[in-house]
Amino acid sequence: MEKKATSPAPAPKPAAAATKGKGGLNPALVIPLLFAIALCVYIFVLGAPEHFKDGDHEKGPIDGDYYGIVYKGGPIVPILMTCFLIVLTFTIERLITLNKASGSGSIDSFVRKVRSLLDKNQIEEAIKECDKQKGSVGNVIKAGLLKYKQLTTETALDKEQKLAALQKEIEEATTLELPMLQKNLTIIATLAGASTLLALLGTVIGMIKAFAALGTSGSPDSAALATGISEALINTALGIGTSAIATISYAYLNSRVDDLTYSIDEIGMSLQSNFAAHY
């Protein structure tokens, strides 16, 4: 009786498979908390009586007191402060996550070492290097190496099928890791544009108040005019500053993710080329 060919058992998945979609800060919990912090800072720190003449908000901030000046920016200020805190919090969180994803050593050194070992067909040593490196790159390459090792003894598939299976294994392992690397980057990218729009809203509100002061009967209310213009400029400054930081942060973090995926692709191609050359 002819023995049926069996498909090769899949190689063990990287550690990220068990935690797909997990890890990192939860925006649904973090954003309301940051808004509460920003609101408390706005009311109790910026709006503290000692920052205003005779402790009265209506009399305006003390000359040169920037806490009081920012407070007079109006109700859009705590929202813009929340945007800034969100950008700052998720930037720090992403930096920590990407540092962990890079592993314990230099990515460039790891890539060179693994490629050198592959050229010598030293698969076991390359797997040990992945165990030392850890992180997302180490996890993905280890999954590919384990599949490589398994396919060397597989007789049911031809060479093209083995190469396809190896490529699929690397792609699947990469797909499992990428969501962890890219999580929360969308929030930073969104705030890069949303902060400018919120600043524009605050600016428009301030200018409405300024023109309303000009439109009063008799002589214009100079105090109300100055307050309206000040509110407009404060919101503009906060929004543009937050947007600039968010844009720079997103560009940098996205480049870090691209570097990691490029390293994975580089070793993945070397892995397939090596397999094609030796088997």
Side-chain angles (χ1 to χ4, degrees):
M1 187 176 188
E2 183 180 356
K3 184 178 179 180
K4 294 182 179 180
T6 56
S7 58
K13 299 295 182 186
T19 57
K20 183 180 180 182
K22 299 182 180 180
L25 297 177
N26 185 352
L29 298 176
V30 173
I31 292 176
L33 177 61
L34 293 177
F35 175 72
I37 293 173
L39 194 60
C40 288
V41 171
Y42 177 74
I43 294 173
F44 299 111
V45 178
L46 301 180
E50 61 264 24
H51 301 306
F52 297 87
K53 297 174 182 178
D54 300 327
D56 187 355
H57 291 169
E58 297 300 324
K59 293 184 178 180
I62 297 172
D63 294 339
D65 192 313
Y66 290 103
Y67 288 90
I69 292 173
V70 174
Y71 178 84
K72 296 301 288 185
I76 302 297
V77 169
I79 299 177
L80 290 171
M81 290 173 61
T82 302
C83 293
F84 173 75
L85 290 176
I86 291 172
V87 171
L88 183 63
T89 300
F90 285 120
T91 296
I92 294 173
E93 182 260 346
R94 286 294 87 196
L95 286 173
I96 293 172
T97 300
L98 291 175
N99 284 335
K100 290 181 179 178
S102 298
S104 58
S106 169
I107 287 292
D108 292 336
S109 299
F110 172 70
V111 170
R112 288 194 298 269
K113 186 65 177 293
V114 171
R115 293 187 65 179
S116 174
L117 292 171
L118 287 175
D119 290 339
K120 300 173 184 177
N121 203 30
Q122 297 177 341
I123 305 304
E124 289 295 340
E125 288 75 7
I127 292 175
K128 291 178 182 178
E129 286 297 321
C130 292
D131 290 333
K132 293 178 183 178
Q133 182 70 16
K134 301 179 181 179
S136 295
V137 178
N139 289 339
V140 172
I141 302 308
K142 182 179 179 179
L145 289 169
L146 291 173
K147 186 69 174 180
Y148 182 111
K149 183 179 177 182
Q150 176 195 347
L151 289 172
T152 57
T153 58
E154 177 60 46
T155 57
L157 302 176
D158 59 29
K159 185 174 183 178
E160 292 300 323
Q161 290 175 321
K162 290 180 180 180
L163 285 172
L166 181 60
Q167 181 179 0
K168 182 180 178 181
E169 184 70 23
I170 296 173
E171 289 175 352
E172 288 180 353
T174 303
T175 302
L176 290 170
E177 293 285 349
L178 279 181
M180 182 192 71
L181 300 179
Q182 296 176 332
K183 184 178 180 181
N184 297 331
L185 284 182
T186 304
I187 295 175
I188 298 176
T190 301
L191 289 178
S195 297
T196 305
L197 295 177
L198 288 171
L200 181 60
L201 175 61
T203 302
V204 171
I205 293 173
M207 295 308 295
I208 289 173
K209 293 180 179 179
F211 282 109
L214 285 174
T216 57
S217 58
S219 61
D221 187 343
S222 59
L225 175 62
T227 299
I229 295 175
S230 176
E231 179 176 337
L233 295 177
I234 289 168
N235 283 287
T236 301
L238 286 175
I240 292 177
T242 300
S243 178
I245 293 172
T247 301
I248 295 171
S249 172
Y250 176 76
Y252 174 72
L253 293 172
N254 198 50
S255 68
R256 288 282 303 273
V257 174
D258 289 342
D259 288 342
L260 290 176
T261 54
Y262 175 77
S263 297
I264 292 172
D265 291 341
E266 185 179 358
I267 301 181
M269 290 297 296
S270 296
L271 196 60
Q272 295 175 60
S273 299
N274 178 271
F275 188 90
H278 291 86
Y279 300 95

